[in-house]
Amino acid sequence: MASDAQDTPSSLPHRHLLDLSDYSAGDIRLILDTAREFRSVLDRPIKKVPTLQGTTVANMFFEPSTRTKLSFGLAAGRLSAETISFSKSGSSVKKGETLRDTAENILAMKCDMVVIRHSSPGAPHYLSRVTDAVLVNAGDGAHAHPTQALLDVLTMSEHIDTFDGLHVSIIGDITHSRVARSNIQALRTLGAEVTLCGPRTMIPPQIEHLGVHVTHHLDEALDRSDIVMALRIQLERQDEGLFPSLREYHDRFGITTEHMEAHPDLLVMHPGPVNRGVELAHDVVDHERAIILSQVTNGVAVRMAVLYLLAPGRQTDAAE
Ligand code: CP
């Protein structure tokens, strides 16, 4: 999928990536174009470029992560940046050290960029106000997961000609999903139509003001869709009464092989981790039209692009 070069800037007018609310279609296209270039690096025998030599990236993960943590670490390494990695377990957070003090001590080791995942919405915004580092949000509570949405739209772009008129359905617990929120922002900015589908208990009231369509019927969502994105059911929320049982959730909102047969062009995405047999039937996870592992591969390329474009000294003067 080619970008409209006329509307694509050559650098980002942002100092941080906190969410996608102030990223224009041109900004997103620049990230996607840059990621495509880095994606080709990942297929070379030597998967490394010297682009960020001399830059130090601190990966601060206060919440569990497999994909995001590993791919940010790999992305920084592929760009020849140095990295330090922090996980909440085993750290001095257990001794009562605050987020700000933890960050300031890590930055005192002379880090240029901070990648942060935290359970509190707004934690990356807070650190962007109280430290000098470039901040990249790797997921903050139910608020935002911007690099997930960017890798998702990059993956979609490999299968489509244009986002104009593309129809994407997001199925599941929208209320608690930072992935849904960031994907709505990215997809609407690029001109795609978005349908949200799930139990009434999992869809915030009046979310239509974001320019999305809402349905509680999976068949209606799939009938409208070129691409369906299933969200992880947060098993830790089972006691909140959001749905009667995992089996009933799967019966009403799980994507099955019958759905795949009824919609022969439908592509299936999932941010991971997948609960096999809940959001997606076991065979759908491994279906030829499930592009879940492409999402993971593209995650490295997108995170390389974000680190490269936000590295100190690269942004335009308009950056905050
Ligand atoms: N998609 C995603 O954020 O996965 P992780 O929690 O494993 O990073």
Side-chain angles (χ1 to χ4, degrees):
M1 179 178 163
S3 294
D4 183 347
Q6 269 188 330
D7 299 331
T8 306
S10 56
S11 56
L12 288 176
H14 307 282
R15 182 161 153 68
H16 309 287
L17 177 57
L18 302 176
D19 56 42
L20 292 172
S21 58
D22 55 353
Y23 274 59
S24 67
D27 296 337
I28 294 174
R29 277 196 293 267
L30 173 62
I31 295 170
L32 300 187
D33 287 349
T34 308
R36 284 184 197 103
E37 288 178 31
F38 286 132
R39 177 70 188 76
S40 65
V41 172
L42 300 180
D43 288 330
R44 294 182 197 162
I46 297 174
K47 303 171 178 57
K48 195 160 183 164
V49 288
T51 316
L52 287 191
Q53 248 168 14
T55 302
T56 305
V57 179
N59 285 317
M60 297 178 59
F61 279 73
F62 292 83
E63 253 194 358
S65 168
T66 298
R67 282 144 287 268
T68 313
K69 184 176 180 179
L70 292 178
S71 64
F72 264 115
L74 206 50
R78 300 281 192 235
L79 293 168
S80 303
E82 286 188 75
T83 54
I84 56 172
S85 192
F86 165 93
S87 296
K88 183 177 168 187
S89 62
S91 77
S92 289
V93 171
K94 295 277 178 206
K95 301 175 194 165
E97 192 166 37
T98 66
L99 171 62
R100 180 175 182 167
D101 285 341
T102 301
E104 284 185 346
N105 277 271
I106 288 173
L107 291 170
M109 299 175 204
K110 301 294 176 195
C111 296
D112 307 292
M113 307 180 80
V114 170
V115 174
I116 178 170
R117 170 170 289 192
H118 202 284
S119 56
S120 296
H125 299 68
Y126 168 70
L127 283 190
S128 74
R129 290 194 296 273
V130 297
T131 72
D132 292 333
V134 170
L135 265 293
V136 180
N137 184 356
D140 61 330
H143 170 241
H145 196 349
T147 58
Q148 178 69 45
L150 291 165
L151 74 87
D152 289 337
V153 293
L154 175 63
T155 307
M156 291 176 201
S157 77
E158 294 175 339
H159 298 269
I160 61 172
D161 295 327
T162 174
F163 281 95
D164 275 332
L166 180 75
H167 210 124
V168 179
S169 285
I170 305 177
I171 316 293
D173 185 358
I174 309 297
T175 303
H176 297 102
S177 177
R178 56 194 175 208
V179 174
R181 250 169 277 288
S182 287
N183 263 288
I184 292 167
Q185 282 178 334
L187 288 165
R188 295 297 296 136
T189 300
L190 292 172
E193 301 295 323
V194 177
T195 293
L196 306 179
C197 176
R200 287 177 200 282
T201 48
M202 291 182 167
I203 301 204
Q206 296 172 359
I207 196 163
E208 289 92 341
H209 75 86
L210 296 179
V212 297
H213 176 78
V214 172
T215 176
H216 306 291
H217 302 284
L218 181 60
D219 285 335
E220 184 192 334
L222 296 184
D223 284 345
R224 303 165 71 95
S225 300
D226 303 298
I227 298 175
V228 62
M229 181 183 300
L231 300 175
R232 179 177 80 91
I233 285 298
Q234 301 179 21
L235 299 178
E236 58 275 23
R237 295 191 185 279
Q238 265 187 100
D239 296 339
E240 294 178 24
L242 299 175
F243 55 94
S245 69
L246 292 176
R247 183 172 174 167
E248 185 158 329
Y249 180 86
H250 179 69
D251 287 347
R252 287 196 57 203
F253 297 103
I255 315 283
T256 63
T257 46
E258 289 74 29
H259 291 126
M260 299 302 284
E261 282 160 16
H263 300 277
D265 296 321
L266 185 70
L267 297 175
V268 176
M269 301 177 71
H270 193 299
V274 178
N275 297 304
R276 282 180 183 253
V278 181
E279 306 96 49
L280 304 177
H282 191 94
D283 289 348
V284 172
V285 181
D286 305 316
H287 197 281
E288 60 183 5
R289 281 182 277 122
I291 51 177
I292 299 166
L293 292 180
S294 297
Q295 293 173 257
V296 178
T297 306
N298 284 332
V300 179
V302 153
R303 287 163 180 139
M304 289 173 79
V306 166
L307 292 174
Y308 166 67
L309 291 166
L310 292 178
R314 254 210 64 85
Q315 306 102 326
T316 56
D317 294 341
E320 316 136 39

